[in-house]
Structure formats: C-alpha cells, structure tokens
Amino acid sequence: MKKQLSIFFLATFAAFLFACSKKQAEEIKPETPTTNGPTPVTTANVTYTNFAGALFQTKCNGCHGPNGALKSIWLFNGFASVKNDTRVANSILVTKTMPKGSTLTVSERELLQAWFDKGMPE
Ligand code: HEC
C-alpha cells in the first residue's frame, strides 16, 4: 500500500512537471512581427516625401540650396525645383557629375532611378 501511494505521488509530480515545462515552452514563443513599424522604402514605393527629398537635402543642398554658392546654376528649393528641371536627373544618372564631391550608394542610385522612371511622385 505504501509503495502504491508513493508511485501515485511520483506520477502526479511527473505530470505536474511536464505540464509546467510545456506551458513555459509555449510562453517563450517569439512574437509575431508587428506591422506598425515604418515601411521600408523600395523601388516600388519610393516618393519625394519618403526618400528623394531627404537625399537632395543632404547631398545637394549644401551647394545648391538657398544659401549655397551654386544656387544660380540650379537652385534646390523643394519638390518643384527638382521636378521641373530635367538637368537634375541628367546630372545624377547620365553624366554622373552630381553630387559633386561625394557619391551615392548603389541602392540610393537605384531608388533615385526608380523615382525618376515613375515620373517623380511627390
Ligand atoms: C560640392 C558642391 C556641389 C554639390 C554637393 C552638388 N553640386 Fe551640382 N553643381 C556644382 C557645381 C560646381 C556645378 C557647375 C558645373 C560643374 O562644375 O560641373 C554644378 C552644376 C549642377 C547642375 C547644372 C549643370 C548640369 O550638370 O546639368 C545641376 C542640375 C546640378 N549641379 C545638380 C546637382 C544635384 C542634383 C546635386 C545633388 C545630388 C548636386 N548638384 C550636388 C556643385 C555641387
């Protein structure tokens, strides 16, 4: 009788342990990825607002901005100043003379190319 009882307790204890470890394994499952983070910019969704504007601001504004020494050749002054001047795409993608003194990464160039190809969406 005593032996039966201890087997019963052992079995109960084992079942309890098993249940606990199983529950824990369920709890540490990685979270499903959230969808409310920023959407990455790709050649499919590139716009002036999500990419191109900031690039002109950092790569061109120093020389061509309202306080730049080269503003008389081309004044960078927001969306319209890029959209209405075909020399911009030409200088970056065809003659590749701009941005003078710095370079664009392969992915920056690809995104800009896609943006010009789409007709420069704002
Ligand atoms: C370090 C200064 C500097 C920066 C930065 C710069 N430029 Fe220029 N840009 C010049 C100079 C100098 C000229 C005059 C022509 C030349 O020397 O090639 C010029 C000329 C131009 C012209 C007119 C002539 C042409 O090539 O059609 C355009 C358009 C132009 N730049 C666009 C840009 C754009 C777009 C950027 C940014 C991606 C940029 N530039 C960055 C210095 C700069």
Side-chain angles (χ1 to χ4, degrees):
M1 180 65 191
K2 207 178 165 197
K3 198 180 172 196
Q4 268 176 345
L5 205 68
S6 58
I7 287 170
F8 171 76
F9 277 124
L10 246 166
T12 312
F13 184 64
F16 177 72
L17 265 184
F18 178 72
C20 280
S21 60
K22 201 178 165 201
K23 183 139 189 281
Q24 225 168 38
E26 273 164 18
E27 275 167 3
I28 57 172
K29 240 192 270 171
E31 277 179 43
T32 48
T34 50
T35 48
N36 53 9
T39 311
V41 178
T42 65
T43 53
N45 69 11
V46 62
T47 63
Y48 184 83
T49 308
N50 74 10
F51 174 75
L55 186 134
F56 293 120
Q57 188 67 42
T58 52
K59 298 281 183 174
C60 318
N61 193 60
C63 294
H64 293 285
N67 300 317
L70 279 305
K71 67 178 176 193
S72 60
I73 294 182
W74 171 59
L75 172 63
F76 170 62
N77 201 8
F79 178 63
S81 67
V82 178
K83 176 130 186 170
N84 299 329
D85 196 331
T86 52
R87 294 179 306 161
V88 175
N90 192 63
S91 68
I92 299 171
L93 299 170
V94 182
T95 65
K96 296 183 180 168
T97 50
M98 299 294 144
K100 210 172 194 77
S102 73
T103 51
L104 299 176
T105 66
V106 171
S107 92
E108 283 172 337
R109 200 171 286 281
E110 274 172 11
L111 288 171
L112 270 187
Q113 177 79 63
W115 183 66
F116 286 120
D117 289 349
K118 285 166 180 295
M120 299 175 261
E122 188 166 12

